[in-house]
Amino acid sequence: MLRLYDYLPSGNGYKVRLLLAQLAIPFELVTLDIVKGETRTPEFLAKNPNGRIPLLEVEPGKFLAESNAILFYLSEGTAFLPDDRWERGQALQWMCFEQYSHEPNIATVRFWLHSAELTDERRAAIAQKRTLGYAALDVMERHLAARRFFVAERYTIADIALYAYTHVADEGGFELGPYPAVQAWIERVREQPRHVPISQG
Ligand SMILES: N[C@@H](CCC(=O)N[C@@H](CS)C(=O)NCC(=O)O)C(=O)O
């Protein structure tokens, strides 16, 4: 059985939990507390030298890190990953956008405000991250203004990757009021079969 190393408030981890639920793939969940440094122990670093969750153990001793790589791996051959070469390229484009322009800003501010210590250095960095986070939301709003989903007009792993931190952006102080197309898309994602919330606790 697949084993997922995860931290339940994590949106990166949630992407994987959501896809596994929607594919109806059973898995063993191993939760680690990242705030207590549980992904930085020698035991965990032997599994993922980058010291981060999510981490998927696909078979004993064989590990895959990086949430979007895990989405890509799990969705191969399913309706969540387009077959068409151009649509696949677009899915990867949005997943790279998520990792470079969205997550480092929107997710990081949420983490700092909720789970981590808000040091002076982090407080100073929040203003710039807020500007960049809103810039990412602007890009999403423009793209979704005339579309139902990010790629191929249907729900794919690109939507899962972007939904994870967008739907909890308010927890990082991001106001979604000025983003009606993003809000409508959030609802469409939520209505997909076998949807599960980020935290069921
Ligand atoms: N690019 C990675 C980011 C993973 C990541 O930042 N994980 C965080 C939680 S969301 C983590 O494990 N942090 C613990 C640490 O850095 O010690 C992905 O998409 O999976």
Side-chain angles (χ1 to χ4, degrees):
M1 186 187 289
L2 294 175
R3 178 181 290 157
L4 178 65
Y5 294 86
D6 203 351
Y7 169 66
L8 294 182
S10 164
N12 286 319
Y14 171 56
K15 295 172 193 174
V16 181
R17 274 175 269 139
L18 176 56
L19 181 60
L20 285 167
Q22 294 187 311
L23 289 171
I25 296 177
F27 63 101
E28 180 192 343
L29 182 67
V30 178
T31 56
L32 299 171
D33 189 340
I34 64 171
V35 181
K36 290 188 182 145
E38 289 179 0
T39 57
R40 300 290 167 157
T41 62
E43 292 75 20
F44 190 79
L45 288 171
K47 299 178 172 67
N48 179 10
N50 200 26
R52 289 177 170 85
I53 59 83
L55 183 69
L56 188 70
E57 190 166 4
V58 299
E59 57 187 63
K62 191 169 164 184
F63 299 98
L64 188 62
E66 294 295 331
S67 56
N68 290 348
I70 298 171
L71 292 184
F72 194 80
Y73 171 81
L74 290 173
S75 63
E76 179 71 40
T78 77
F80 296 87
L81 177 66
D83 283 333
D84 177 80
R85 183 181 181 185
W86 173 243
E87 291 173 353
R88 260 179 195 238
Q90 289 182 309
L92 276 179
Q93 172 199 297
W94 283 108
M95 290 160 82
C96 292
F97 164 85
E98 188 268 341
Q99 285 285 288
Y100 188 81
S101 301
H102 187 290
E103 191 260 18
N105 302 306
I106 295 175
T108 302
V109 175
R110 170 177 175 261
F111 180 67
W112 286 350
L113 294 182
H114 279 265
S115 311
E117 191 193 341
L118 193 55
T119 58
D120 287 345
E121 198 184 342
R122 285 174 173 175
R123 206 184 301 274
I126 283 180
Q128 197 208 9
K129 288 196 173 288
R130 201 164 294 298
T131 303
L132 293 172
Y134 276 123
L137 291 169
D138 290 344
V139 170
M140 292 169 67
E141 179 71 14
R142 279 198 295 277
H143 187 73
L144 289 169
R147 293 176 181 86
R148 291 175 52 75
F149 294 102
F150 273 88
V151 178
E153 278 305 272
R154 61 188 167 86
Y155 181 64
T156 69
I157 53 172
D159 298 291
I160 294 179
L162 280 161
Y163 176 79
Y165 285 109
T166 304
H167 85 292
V168 290
D170 62 309
E171 295 177 11
F174 289 90
E175 172 54 54
L176 291 185
Y179 297 94
V182 169
Q183 287 186 61
W185 164 80
I186 285 174
E187 280 314 308
R188 280 194 287 279
V189 171
R190 218 173 251 146
E191 287 164 2
Q192 295 303 305
R194 295 180 185 272
H195 182 84
V196 291
I198 188 164
S199 170
Q200 299 186 80

